[in-house]
Amino acid sequence: MFIIDEGKFLYNSATCWIDFALSLLVSGVAIFFLLKFLKRRFASVSIISGICLLFVGWFFNLHLLWSIALIVVTSLVVVALVVNQGAIRDLMANALASSKSKGSPEKVFDRHALLQKVDVAVQNLSKNKIGAIITFEKDTKLDDFIKSGTELDAPVTPELLMTIFYPGTRLHDGAVVIRRDKILAASVYYTPTTKPLTGKFGSRHRASIGISEVSDSVTVVVSEETGRISLAVAGELIHVPADTFLRTLEDYIYMSKETKAE
């Protein structure tokens, strides 16, 4: 390695080559684990390993190894924060709600995992062209509308959602209302929108727009004729490609009132 002595650089060949070889190995392994992390969304082992390498580089005065390990650990931490931002926001929101609540705090749940379950169901419903309306309740309570349907208070699972909307079942007409991590009710009916719409829209789409006009809810609509997926938000109907549905749904679920107003 290079050492400064009285203003001159001294070269230690053996140490330098060890530093270079270890750094090259660390770079290759870091790229491998980073790619694995991006697929599995899990990097605790990689981050811990990187921290250990930071210590080794510092203890043995291997500057190149220390620098690369620092870059690797920083990159993994940043990626972890970006990839898990939904879960982080949920934890922060639940922590804030718990601190403000005078009674018993609400149960903490993983919203991202919940939306992944809905995504599985919606993708299957769309592929098989089975019509569906799934409403996510936000700040505006939908108790008055829920009275028109059948209360379930059941956990959200892809199988239950697909069973509810399967043609011929007693609950397949109307909407499912999800409050937090539970299916609160099924076969719920909304007042359809009365505003003129461009194009051909069925009763599901008009009802979904109608509920979005009177609440801050986000409603997923699957067309029975085409299998097309749409979101009804703030009086508007937004068509969403299947491959970006989960990401788009998360964006609107997390969207604040201030953002909507803008």
Side-chain angles (χ1 to χ4, degrees):
M1 76 190 304
F2 294 103
I3 304 172
I4 299 177
D5 184 16
E6 296 182 354
K8 297 180 180 181
F9 283 104
L10 301 178
Y11 180 71
N12 184 328
S13 179
T15 307
C16 181
W17 280 110
I18 292 173
D19 193 5
F20 178 77
L22 286 175
S23 301
L24 190 63
L25 177 63
V26 169
S27 299
V29 174
I31 293 173
F32 173 79
F33 276 107
L34 186 59
L35 292 175
K36 286 289 185 181
F37 167 70
L38 289 174
K39 290 182 180 179
R40 300 181 183 179
R41 299 191 174 193
F42 182 78
S44 58
V45 175
S46 302
I47 293 174
I48 293 172
S49 300
I51 293 173
C52 291
L53 287 171
L54 273 174
F55 176 78
V56 170
W58 169 80
F59 186 82
F60 291 101
N61 203 27
L62 301 174
H63 292 174
L64 185 57
L65 176 62
W66 187 90
S67 300
I68 291 179
L70 179 61
I71 294 172
V72 169
V73 171
T74 303
S75 301
L76 288 172
V77 170
V78 170
V79 172
L81 292 174
V82 172
V83 172
N84 296 290
Q85 58 180 317
I88 293 172
R89 281 182 294 189
D90 275 339
L91 288 173
M92 293 179 64
N94 280 296
L96 183 61
S98 297
S99 65
K100 291 183 177 180
S101 176
K102 294 182 180 179
S104 300
E106 291 184 311
K107 182 185 70 174
V108 176
F109 69 98
D110 188 341
R111 192 184 299 274
H112 178 73
L114 169 71
L115 297 182
Q116 282 183 316
K117 294 176 185 177
V118 175
D119 177 55
V120 172
V122 169
Q123 298 291 350
N124 277 278
L125 292 168
S126 173
K127 182 179 180 180
N128 293 287
K129 294 183 179 179
I130 298 175
I133 309 178
I134 303 172
T135 298
F136 291 87
E137 183 187 76
K138 295 181 75 175
D139 292 332
T140 305
K141 298 302 179 185
L142 303 178
D143 294 336
D144 290 339
F145 296 96
I146 289 169
K147 293 175 182 177
S148 68
T150 301
E151 294 190 28
L152 297 180
D153 194 29
V156 176
T157 65
E159 295 77 15
L160 180 54
L161 287 171
M162 288 185 286
T163 299
I164 289 173
F165 290 112
Y166 191 80
T169 59
R170 191 171 69 86
L171 301 176
H172 84 281
D173 281 332
V176 158
V177 176
I178 295 178
R179 175 180 291 173
R180 291 178 57 79
D181 61 340
K182 291 292 185 69
I183 297 177
L184 197 60
S187 194
V188 176
Y189 287 88
Y190 304 137
T191 303
T193 183
T194 56
K195 72 177 184 180
L197 301 174
T198 303
K200 183 181 178 182
F201 294 96
S203 58
R204 284 191 180 89
H205 294 85
R206 290 185 173 275
S208 300
I209 297 172
I211 192 63
S212 73
E213 290 174 331
V214 297
S215 71
D216 62 349
S217 62
V218 176
T219 298
V220 181
V221 193
V222 179
S223 171
E224 186 175 328
E225 294 183 1
T226 65
R228 174 180 280 186
I229 304 170
S230 304
L231 292 178
V233 183
E236 300 294 333
L237 194 66
I238 303 135
H239 298 302
V240 183
D243 58 348
T244 62
F245 168 70
L246 178 58
R247 187 187 316 156
T248 306
L249 177 61
E250 285 186 312
D251 289 342
Y252 280 101
I253 291 293
Y254 289 119
M255 185 181 291
S256 65
K257 291 180 179 180
E258 291 75 11
T259 306
K260 286 183 184 178
E262 291 174 2

